[in-house]
Every structure is written in structure tokens, then in C-alpha cells.
Amino acid sequence: DGYRKRLETKLQHKNAQIVRSERLLRVSQDDGEKQTIAKSLEDARGESEEILKLLEQIHKQMDEFKKSD
């Protein structure tokens, strides 16, 4: 349960990072800066997807454990 909570917290932070990056991407005027922000945004989205997959696996395992009781 502790691991799940840490992942959920990490996901919240990652989602906040995505929102910030999207906002910065819209207002940035510099092309080089936009490329850096876009790369950071792409990385953050990938990390968010990985966290979601891990959480899904944890939920499945918890469901299976509850069914076996």
C-alpha cells in the first residue's frame, strides 16, 4: 500500500509538471526553448504512462489477492 501511495504522489507531481510544460510551451517565444520544453513534456508524458501501468498492475494484484480471501 505504501508503494501504491508513493506512485500516486509521483503521478500527481508528474501531471503538474506536464501542465506547467504545456503552459510554457504555449507562451515561449524562443524556438530553442520550445524544443527543450517539448522534449521535457514528451519525457514527462512517457513517465506518467509508465506510472499508470505500474498502478494498474498493483490494482490487479490487489483485486486478485482480495478474491483469493
Side-chain angles (χ1 to χ4, degrees), residues 23-40:
R23 190 175 319 121
L24 286 171
L25 195 58
R26 283 194 303 271
V27 299
S28 177
Q29 301 295 320
D30 182 76
D31 286 338
E33 186 177 84
K34 280 187 175 191
Q35 288 178 348
T36 301
I37 295 168
K39 175 64 175 137
S40 174

Side-chain angles (χ1 to χ4, degrees), residues 6-34:
R6 284 193 302 276
L7 283 176
E8 288 173 347
T9 299
K10 190 172 183 176
L11 181 61
Q12 289 173 346
H13 290 173
K14 198 55 61 179
N15 286 338
Q17 178 185 356
I18 290 169
V19 169
R20 272 193 312 274
S21 294
E22 288 172 339
R23 190 175 319 121
L24 286 171
L25 195 58
R26 283 194 303 271
V27 299
S28 177
Q29 301 295 320
D30 182 76
D31 286 338
E33 186 177 84
K34 280 187 175 191

Side-chain angles (χ1 to χ4, degrees), residues 53-64:
K53 287 177 187 176
L54 288 171
L55 283 169
E56 184 178 309
Q57 290 173 356
I58 290 170
H59 287 291
K60 283 181 183 178
Q61 289 175 350
M62 290 173 69
D63 288 344
E64 289 173 9

